[in-house]
Amino acid sequence: MPQFTTSDGLRLHYTDAGAGLPILCLAGLTRSTADFDYVAPHLPACRLIRMDYRGRGQSDWDKTWQNYTLPIEIRDVIELLDHLGIDAVAILGTSRGGLNAMGFAATVPDRFLGAALNDVGPELAPAGLAMIMTYLGKRPAARTHAEAAAALAHVMIGFPGVSADRWMQEARTHFRAVDDGLDITYDPALRSAVEAGGDVPDLWPFFDALAGKPLCLIRGANSDLLAEATVQKMQERRPDMIYANVPDRGHVPFLDEPLALDALHTWMKALR
């Protein structure tokens, strides 16, 4: 299992497959490298790198939960690239991963090649943030993966027509079986870090840091986190932004939907 050690001593899990254009996949707030299992087989040949943030997936938990912040996660990304000897990278970022992509571009612009943002922008809708807080850091009530899959089909708003097999795969990805039921795959103290973070700062300067590099935005048409008004503002700033509004998806698209793949393929061509 590939790991590297951060400057403050945590072992973080990553994968590194393929060759050519380096694309780093960064997952959502509570998610892991497995989030990109759906899209990976459909991408053109490239060097696909994935990383579990500290406290998530197969990476070490941080004894100091105050370190579960965007600046620290961006520092971890930079240290991973140094570990792999990669000078510059494009980032495919889902939700929080997209925020980290913007922060990375602002922090080390000379190492940034472009970004594809999955259902996230510089303004986060309150309804979506409130939804995240209903489950963040909490064990699921379901006691089996089958129960969790059935619950996801009802709880995940804006995803009509998703197959039972896909919900089962989601349940197995995001919940692990333990002796007394199911548990989350991340440090529950992540909730404390989010609560302590206060109001979301002005992220438009970070979005503007993406200027001049290929940019793609994929939105779930039923998203409760990324409003259409925010998308319009993004398009005004970046008329060249590749955009896909994926039907029958909320927060977040799985990325193997045809419209999402078309957008990603166009973005990857622009990167080369």
Side-chain angles (χ1 to χ4, degrees), residues 73-96:
E73 290 167 10
I74 293 166
R75 186 186 74 190
D76 290 341
V77 166
I78 294 170
E79 292 181 0
L80 170 62
L81 298 183
D82 291 344
H83 170 75
L84 295 175
I86 296 175
D87 293 331
V89 70
I91 298 179
L92 169 55
T94 290
S95 195
R96 187 179 180 97

Side-chain angles (χ1 to χ4, degrees), residues 250-266:
H251 185 75
V252 291
F254 299 118
L255 294 180
D256 63 345
E257 301 89 355
L259 281 181
L261 290 175
D262 286 347
L264 288 173
H265 291 169
T266 301

Side-chain angles (χ1 to χ4, degrees), residues 186-239:
Y186 60 92
D187 185 351
L190 185 59
R191 183 182 183 93
S192 297
V194 172
E195 290 176 333
D199 295 334
V200 178
D202 180 11
L203 298 175
W204 283 106
F206 294 90
F207 178 76
D208 290 337
L210 307 177
K213 299 296 174 64
L215 175 61
C216 173
L217 175 63
I218 296 165
R219 176 180 182 266
N222 301 324
S223 177
D224 60 359
L225 190 74
L226 179 59
E228 289 183 80
T230 301
V231 173
Q232 291 174 359
K233 293 179 184 178
M234 296 167 74
Q235 290 175 316
E236 289 170 2
R237 275 176 152 88
R238 287 293 305 269

Side-chain angles (χ1 to χ4, degrees), residues 1 67 146 245 268:
M1 183 175 70
N67 288 337
N245 196 39
M268 291 178 67

